């Protein structure tokens, strides 16, 4: 209780203050707007969209391509070109707003293709508020204990230590999804019990490993007082939903987002996924970039409404999802979508039963970007045996050696020094049907 209060009353407001935009004020606003009518929400979204386009009018990349500094109707907006990941990758600097305030630099290597972008204070506060609003639907409030099974930075220990400190101040136990050995999980049980988390959050694949281990150790998790298990970053399979719900004795909700926009769609207690339409405009487009009808899978294209320092306008995320019509029984008019065709979660298994979320590869990619190793354009890891990995990579550099060495070091840090890693240069990395570059393919025989 004291920890909850310290985090809610002291640390979170202080962090908001330092960030320059109050997360709690944004949360109060989002809790008001969620009861608005669809028309009110749509009008508000359009007003914010116009502000975004005004900010984009100062961005060299958009200016040079003749984007209008304002739009009069939704149709005008929908006539703007779709922004590709490759454009953001190749024109990072010219996509930044020279007068856009102090957006902090932020990098991500989401989906195998490294992309850099920045998030400003307004974006961060609103995104965080969007997360807490949806958790509030399940009775979880800011500052309450959170158990997160998530990736951790690879590379210099400093970053991981800093993140752990921040997690501690946020009343959050950050469990690395890259270290889920039976011994590691057993050492967590007393910490989890002390934390008594109200929210369990993370990759479904990682949570599944944790829950199965607890089950085989005869450790109960359903008496901790968990109110919500929120899964994100990967497809949440039905069997995982059942497994996690039973293990924690709590409802399981799916959360959808990506590095560029954070989490922006959340399932409510009725199992419908609502878009935080006060923060983003989400479109679902067919092959010719025309909107698909409700109930039909389309490519997810997103515009961020509160990131004037680097506005991404009609950005193709690389996932498929389905726009859903109708009104949710929960009464909120936030638009509905379904992501059953989204990302596939997978675990990497190595000798001794060690398991890692494939998000590991994303973290390795991020560490390469952070260290300035931009020579690898994309990579894909193929596992052929428990300890054998082939890294297929695309490069345009004459000397990718240092980047490859850094990549190998990052992989070994998590997979272990004993694994065999072979690098193989390729022309291109085949995409998944949804258009995404996957990071990982397992080619091991099932019984290996
Ligand atoms: Zn609902």
């Amino acid at each position: 209780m004291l920890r909850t209060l310290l985090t809610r009353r002291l640390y979170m407001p202080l962090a908001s203050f330092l960030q320059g935009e109050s997360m709690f004020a944004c949360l109060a606003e989002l809790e008001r707007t969620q009861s608005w009518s669809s028309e009110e929400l749509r009008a508000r979204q359009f007003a914010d969209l116009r502000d975004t386009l005004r900010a984009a009018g100062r961005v060299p990349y958009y200016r040079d391509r003749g984007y209008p500094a304002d739009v009069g109707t939704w149709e005008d907006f929908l006539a703007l070109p779709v922004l590709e990941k490759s454009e953001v990758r190749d024109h990072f600097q010219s996509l930044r707003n020279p007068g856009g305030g102090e957006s902090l630099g932020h990098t991500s290597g989401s989906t195998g293709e490294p992309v850099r972008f920045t998030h400003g204070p307004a974006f961060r506060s609103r995104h965080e508020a969007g997360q807490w609003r949806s958790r509030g639907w399940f009775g979880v409030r800011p500052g309450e204990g959170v158990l997160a099974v998530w990736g951790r930075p690879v590379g210099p220990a400093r970053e991981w230590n800093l993140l752990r400190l921040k997690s501690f101040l946020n009343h959050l136990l950050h469990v690395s999804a890259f270290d889920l050995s039976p011994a590691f999980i057993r050492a967590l049980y007393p910490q989890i019990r002390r934390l008594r988390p109200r929210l369990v959050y993370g990759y479904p694949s990682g949570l599944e490993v944790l829950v199965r281990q607890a089950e085989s150790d005869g450790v109960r998790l359903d008496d901790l007082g968990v109110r919500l298990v929120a899964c994100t970053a990967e497809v949440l399979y039905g069997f995982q939903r059942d497994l996690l719900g039973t293990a924690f004795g709590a409802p399981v909700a799916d959360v959808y987002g990506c590095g560029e926009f954070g989490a922006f769609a959340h399932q409510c207690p009725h199992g419908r996924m609502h878009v935080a339409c006060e923060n983003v405009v989400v479109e679902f487009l067919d092959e010719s970039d025309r909107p698909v009808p409700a109930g039909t899978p389309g490519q997810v294209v997103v515009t961020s409404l509160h990131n004037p320092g680097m506005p991404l306008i009609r950005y193709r995320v690389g996932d498929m999802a389905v726009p859903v019509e109708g009104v949710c029984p929960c009464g909120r008019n936030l638009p509905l979508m379904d992501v059953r065709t989204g990302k596939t979660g997978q675990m990497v298994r190595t000798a001794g039963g060690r398991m890692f979320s494939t998000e590991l590869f994303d973290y390795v990619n991020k560490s390469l970007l952070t260290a300035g190793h931009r020579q690898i354009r994309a990579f894909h890891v193929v596992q052929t045996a428990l300890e054998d990995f082939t890294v297929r990579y695309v490069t345009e550099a004459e000397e990718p050696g240092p980047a490859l060495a850094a990549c190998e070091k990052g992989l070994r840090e998590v997979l272990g020094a004993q694994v065999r890693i072979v690098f193989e240069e390729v022309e291109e990395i085949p995409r998944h049907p949804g258009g995404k570059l996957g990071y990982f393919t397992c080619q091991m025989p099932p019984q290996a």
Side-chain angles (χ1 to χ4, degrees):
M1 194 60 200
L2 182 64
R3 277 303 310 280
T4 299
L5 280 177
L6 278 175
T7 299
R8 184 186 302 160
R9 301 263 184 245
L10 199 67
Y11 176 69
M12 284 180 150
L14 183 67
S16 278
F17 174 74
L18 294 175
Q19 196 160 284
E21 181 109 5
S22 166
M23 189 286 284
F24 286 96
C26 294
L27 178 57
E29 192 186 319
L30 290 183
E31 286 183 334
R32 259 196 323 275
T33 51
Q34 65 180 345
S35 60
W36 284 10
S37 69
S38 300
E39 293 71 30
E40 286 171 313
L41 284 166
R42 196 84 173 142
R44 158 67 176 272
Q45 202 184 31
F46 193 65
D48 287 339
L49 183 62
R50 292 181 67 179
D51 284 344
T52 297
L53 283 164
R54 278 179 212 121
R58 295 187 290 275
V59 171
Y61 190 78
Y62 295 122
R63 218 177 36 218
D64 296 349
R65 277 158 189 77
Y67 275 61
D70 196 0
V71 285
T73 63
W74 277 104
E75 285 67 37
D76 296 343
F77 168 69
L78 298 176
L80 297 175
V82 172
L83 185 66
E84 304 294 344
K85 207 160 269 213
S86 56
E87 294 174 80
V88 179
R89 187 189 58 214
D90 297 342
H91 303 280
F92 170 68
Q93 280 307 341
S94 63
L95 273 161
R96 298 185 71 180
N97 185 344
E102 316 80 319
S103 292
L104 283 189
H106 195 92
T107 60
S108 170
S110 98
T111 70
E113 243 175 339
V115 175
R116 286 186 295 160
F117 46 83
T118 66
H119 288 156
F123 171 90
R124 288 198 299 274
S125 298
R126 280 162 201 268
H127 163 250
E128 215 182 309
Q131 292 270 63
W132 283 114
R133 168 171 72 178
S134 66
R135 293 163 182 173
W137 300 341
F138 296 85
V140 181
R141 308 299 303 165
E144 291 183 320
V146 180
L147 169 66
V149 177
W150 200 246
R152 66 164 168 85
V154 295
R158 184 171 20 108
E159 253 186 87
W160 180 211
N161 289 336
L162 188 67
L163 189 60
R164 272 200 283 213
L165 173 65
K166 263 169 109 173
S167 300
F168 174 77
L169 293 170
N170 273 311
H171 200 189
L172 182 148
L173 175 62
H174 185 141
V175 173
S176 159
F178 306 155
D179 303 289
L180 292 172
S181 65
F184 178 80
I185 293 173
R186 285 187 191 118
L188 288 172
Y189 298 145
Q191 294 181 60
I192 294 175
R193 192 139 290 275
R194 271 200 304 278
L195 177 72
R196 302 200 77 81
R198 290 290 169 268
L199 169 69
V200 175
Y201 185 79
Y203 309 144
S205 59
L207 290 169
E208 184 192 334
V209 173
L210 172 73
V211 157
R212 285 190 191 275
Q213 187 63 45
E215 195 179 59
S216 79
D217 289 338
V219 170
R220 280 185 68 178
L221 300 167
D222 59 354
D223 59 351
L224 294 168
V226 174
R227 294 196 183 122
L228 167 65
V229 182
C231 292
T232 188
E234 303 169 343
V235 165
L236 169 64
Y237 294 108
F239 81 91
Q240 290 172 320
R241 188 183 281 275
D242 295 346
L243 187 82
L244 298 175
T246 309
F248 288 106
V252 180
D254 201 0
V255 176
Y256 173 73
C258 57
E260 294 87 333
F261 301 101
F264 56 81
H266 307 86
Q267 269 186 337
C268 74
H270 288 269
R272 306 284 193 93
M273 182 171 269
H274 290 275
V275 176
C277 64
E278 303 94 328
N279 290 349
V280 283
V281 177
V282 182
E283 300 171 63
F284 307 87
L285 305 182
D286 67 12
E287 302 273 285
S288 325
D289 289 341
R290 282 187 302 254
V292 295
T296 310
Q299 305 176 63
V300 180
V301 167
V302 182
T303 301
S304 179
L305 293 175
H306 304 286
N307 199 32
M310 188 172 174
L312 294 181
I313 295 171
R314 304 196 80 210
Y315 176 82
R316 199 187 314 272
V317 168
D319 285 330
M320 300 288 282
V322 181
V324 175
E325 228 169 25
V327 179
C328 180
C330 78
R332 296 175 190 95
N333 289 310
L334 306 168
L336 297 167
M337 65 181 277
D338 194 340
V339 291
R340 270 173 303 188
T341 54
K343 301 166 190 172
T344 316
Q346 243 185 325
M347 294 298 282
V348 186
R349 201 154 51 90
T350 61
R354 300 180 70 211
M355 305 263 262
F356 313 93
S357 161
T358 50
E359 290 286 315
L360 153 67
F361 303 120
D362 196 36
Y363 276 78
V364 170
N365 220 342
K366 283 179 193 167
S367 75
L368 294 179
L369 284 173
T370 309
H373 292 303
R374 305 246 153 75
Q375 297 91 340
I376 301 181
R377 250 187 118 106
F379 72 80
H380 182 91
V381 179
V382 180
Q383 184 178 23
T384 47
L386 279 176
E387 306 278 55
D388 284 298
F389 297 86
T390 301
V391 181
R392 297 188 178 139
Y393 65 96
V394 180
T395 186
E396 283 158 10
E398 293 284 313
E399 279 298 330
L404 296 181
C407 179
E408 179 168 348
K409 188 162 171 277
L411 290 172
R412 286 194 186 284
E413 186 186 321
V414 179
L415 296 173
Q418 77 291 348
V419 298
R420 284 171 292 276
I421 298 175
V422 177
F423 284 91
E424 194 180 291
E425 188 180 338
V426 292
E427 287 290 306
E428 99 179 316
I429 289 167
R431 285 171 185 272
H432 286 319
K436 274 212 140 157
L437 287 176
Y439 269 120
F440 180 68
T441 305
C442 179
Q443 289 180 353
M444 277 196 294
Q447 69 280 11

